[in-house]
Structures are given as C-alpha cells and as structure tokens.
Amino acid sequence: MNTQTAHEFLTRCFHPGETIALLLRRESPASTTQRIVTLEQAIAPRYLAWLRYENHSGANVYIAANPLRSGSRKRTKDCIAEVRHLYLDIDVDGDNRIAALMKSETVPTPTVILSTSPDKYQVLWRVEGFGFDQQENTLKSLAIAFGGDSACTDRNRVLRVPGFRNCKYDPAHLVTVEYPNDSIYRPEDFRLDGASLNAALLPYGLARTYPTNKNTHSEQDWAWAVQQLSLGEDAGKLTLTLASRRSDKPNPLYYAQRTIDIASARLSLIEGAPIEDVIAMLEDRRSAELPGSFCASRAREIATTAQRMVARHKFASIHHPKENHNATA
C-alpha cells in the first residue's frame, strides 16, 4: 500500500476545501462505512494512515467521483455539487478495450486510468461544462461504445482509490494509476452521437446481428430469442439472460440488446404492426438504458433492419418456396 499515491490522486481530482465522500466496504462479513470529509481532512497523514489500516484489515477503499455540496451528510444524487469526471468501468477484456479506447477518435485521451485488478480498469476524464443529465447520457454512451459496465452511470458513483488494495482477491491486488493526460474536457470533446457511436462499435463486430442460416452461436441465440419472444417472455429479462450467456462477446450487453430488439421488431412487423409503432416500442424499451439521441436513431435503424428481413423472407417465400420451407422447418 502507498498512501502517497492516494494523496496525489485525491489532490489531482479535487479542489482545496471541497467536500468529498469516502466509502469503506468489507466483503466478509459484509459491511459499509461512509465518511463525508473535506479534501484536507482526507489527505491528512493520520487520516490516510487510518485508511491504510482499514484496507490492510480487509476494507476496500472508494471515493465518490464528483464533489459534494458543502454541508452534505449523505452521498445521494441531490448532494452532488457538480460534474467533475466522466468515468468508465471496464471489467471484461480490459486490455483490448483500453487499447481500442486510446485509438478512438470519438473520445479524448483519458485523464486517469486505474488498474483495479488483472485486466480490469476504471477510466476517468476530468471535465467541465456538463449538466447532470448530460453526464449520465454520456456515461451510457461510453459504456455502449467501449464495453463498460452499463450500471456505472450514476453521478454519485464511487471509484477505487489507487495506492490501496483490492481485497476482493486473494492475494489482494494493489490498485495502480496512470495519468495519460492533464487536460480538462468539455461536452463537445466527446463525439458520441448516433453515427459516431455506431462507428465506434464496428471494431467490436457488433454492428450486425442477422441470421445467416449457419449453425453458429449467434444463430442459436437468434433462434432462442425468436422462440422465447413468441412465447411472450419479457424482453428485458431475455436481454440480461443472453448477455450473461455470451460473456465471450466484447460487449455482451450491447449484443444481447440488439439481438432481442431485432427479433422482437421482426415479430411485431410480421404480426402487422406499423413500423412507427415498432420504433416507438423499441425507443420506450431502452430509454432508461441508452442516451436519448442515440436511443431514437438506434430504434429507427433496428426497425428498418427488421423490415428488410421481413421483406427478404416474403421474397424468398414467393420465388423459392421449397428452399424457404427447408430453411425455416
């Protein structure tokens, strides 16, 4: 453990006099302790020594990514003073995803990269000029584009503090830090609109989810999705189930969302639903998970993709009835 590393991280992330939230979380027995302190209190030698002692005895050490309002006693969304950081939690295929992020033209170079455990990272961008809703929408877009944890999009999210150990592992893993850039970024530096977001996903091979009449894993997923949706199963639950089954994908959640949504859009169109109704259904379904502008363009793209699939199926039924029967039997 290295409290000097923690000291440098905290002073880089927060201004003198700001109120911040520290969280200590133990795995066994499960317990959580939160402390609301000023930056000066947190970086005092005695306080850092106490954090080191707690960490040595099994407590994981976290910090809220954004400062709190002065006088706050809790770490609720209402207590957040301003947006200080954007962040991305990458816990699958981390090395490859960090490499893709660093090469991407849709986002600037991160301010901070934390190595939280082998092949797992937390990425931060120091920002200004973001509103709260704008921050959370951007966090959702970042998670989609680079395969991050879609649950880590709240403005009161906590992140690990470098210099302390990640006690979820045996032996515990020391959390380390890199500072690739000292810049402070603004909203216009993150080009994550619908078109750019789809472009960012292309290297992952996620932009297409079509049946190709081959017995691949994706084809099996497609057949399963169509069957389950035909039986009336909930699309949200099916998405989570499929994502958990396809952890081999670079972005399992995006893959699952797209597979389920194309399948359900196709079924709705076959049943006679107008395409505008299908677009509205898809947009409503993902509105809580995806940023607004991307959610709308995505819904229309998926509905038109499903519409083309239905048209191709009708064409094949007319011109190649025997082949089509064999393919769908």
Side-chain angles (χ1 to χ4, degrees), residues 83 86 106-108 125-135 138 142 184-193:
V83 175
L86 298 184
T106 61
V107 295
W125 290 265
R126 178 78 174 270
V127 297
E128 63 182 14
F130 276 83
F132 292 134
D133 290 342
Q134 186 179 27
Q135 181 209 26
T138 306
L142 287 169
I184 299 175
Y185 300 111
R186 296 188 59 80
E188 56 267 25
D189 296 318
F190 296 82
R191 297 177 292 278
L192 292 167
D193 54 25

Side-chain angles (χ1 to χ4, degrees), residues 266-299:
R266 175 179 172 274
L267 288 172
S268 295
L269 291 168
I270 290 173
E271 292 169 357
I275 189 170
E276 292 301 327
D277 289 354
V278 175
I279 292 170
M281 176 269 291
L282 294 170
E283 191 170 354
D284 180 68
R285 176 186 294 170
R286 303 300 180 189
S287 61
E289 306 169 33
L290 304 173
S293 59
F294 176 64
C295 187
S297 62
R298 173 188 179 278

Side-chain angles (χ1 to χ4, degrees), residues 173-184:
H173 179 85
L174 181 66
V175 180
T176 59
V177 62
E178 298 177 41
Y179 300 103
N181 199 299
D182 288 331
S183 298
I184 299 175

